Amino acid sequence: MKLGLGTATFGMSYGRYNPDQATSLKEVDQILKLAHQAGMSMLDTAPGYGNSEASIGHCWQPEYTFSVITKTPAFSEEELSKETVKRLNQSIQASLKNLHQPTLIGKKLLIAFQVSREFLLIKERSFGLTRLFCCC
């Protein structure tokens, strides 16, 4: 069985057990170590989760084998304009910086491209992504 860890609380106050503040970096570090030891295989994060990506990047250890799923902002255009592609690229670059990853190539990092309607207009090779899927 594969288990994943939601990380919204790593970057903001969220949920029943963390309503007043984000999880401290010390606690994020401990949680990631325990999750790794327990065999969890995936982390779910997003720029919309406050400092979650940066907290993961700060606490990342070389031995971690998590797949990391992050998201882009939602785009409402039916077709991707040059400006939308620019914003998408900026979002991806910011996530890479926050997660302390130099590139998507060869990494276990998946970007969820959020759009208002179901379409896949960007091919994986457009950004050198290992995987790209659509959340509608």
Side-chain angles (χ1 to χ4, degrees), residues 100-121:
H100 295 193
Q101 301 296 325
T103 181
L104 298 178
I105 299 171
K107 299 292 180 185
K108 290 186 169 188
L109 181 60
L110 182 130
I111 303 288
F113 178 48
Q114 299 182 14
V115 294
S116 62
R117 287 201 245 165
E118 193 171 338
F119 69 96
L120 291 172
L121 297 176

Side-chain angles (χ1 to χ4, degrees), residues 62-130:
E63 65 270 16
Y64 291 164
T65 57
F66 301 111
S67 293
V68 179
I69 298 175
T70 192
K71 295 117 189 137
T72 69
F75 296 99
S76 60
E77 295 88 354
E78 289 186 28
E79 293 187 19
L80 295 178
S81 66
K82 287 182 182 181
E83 183 59 33
T84 302
V85 171
K86 181 180 175 183
R87 288 181 16 232
L88 175 60
N89 189 47
Q90 289 170 339
S91 174
I92 291 169
Q93 295 305 317
S95 290
L96 289 172
K97 182 179 177 183
N98 289 334
L99 291 163
H100 295 193
Q101 301 296 325
T103 181
L104 298 178
I105 299 171
K107 299 292 180 185
K108 290 186 169 188
L109 181 60
L110 182 130
I111 303 288
F113 178 48
Q114 299 182 14
V115 294
S116 62
R117 287 201 245 165
E118 193 171 338
F119 69 96
L120 291 172
L121 297 176
I122 296 179
K123 298 190 184 291
E124 292 176 5
R125 61 183 155 77
S126 298
F127 292 99
L129 303 175
T130 53

Side-chain angles (χ1 to χ4, degrees), residues 31-46:
I31 291 167
L32 291 177
K33 284 178 185 173
L34 289 171
H36 175 70
Q37 291 169 357
M40 286 194 174
S41 59
M42 187 267 299
L43 302 176
D44 174 64
T45 189

Side-chain angles (χ1 to χ4, degrees), residues 8-38:
T9 62
F10 289 7
M12 61 184 192
S13 59
Y14 179 85
R16 181 176 179 172
Y17 299 105
N18 210 22
D20 299 322
Q21 63 185 6
T23 305
S24 71
L25 283 176
K26 181 179 179 182
E27 291 173 309
V28 169
D29 189 51
Q30 292 172 340
I31 291 167
L32 291 177
K33 284 178 185 173
L34 289 171
H36 175 70
Q37 291 169 357

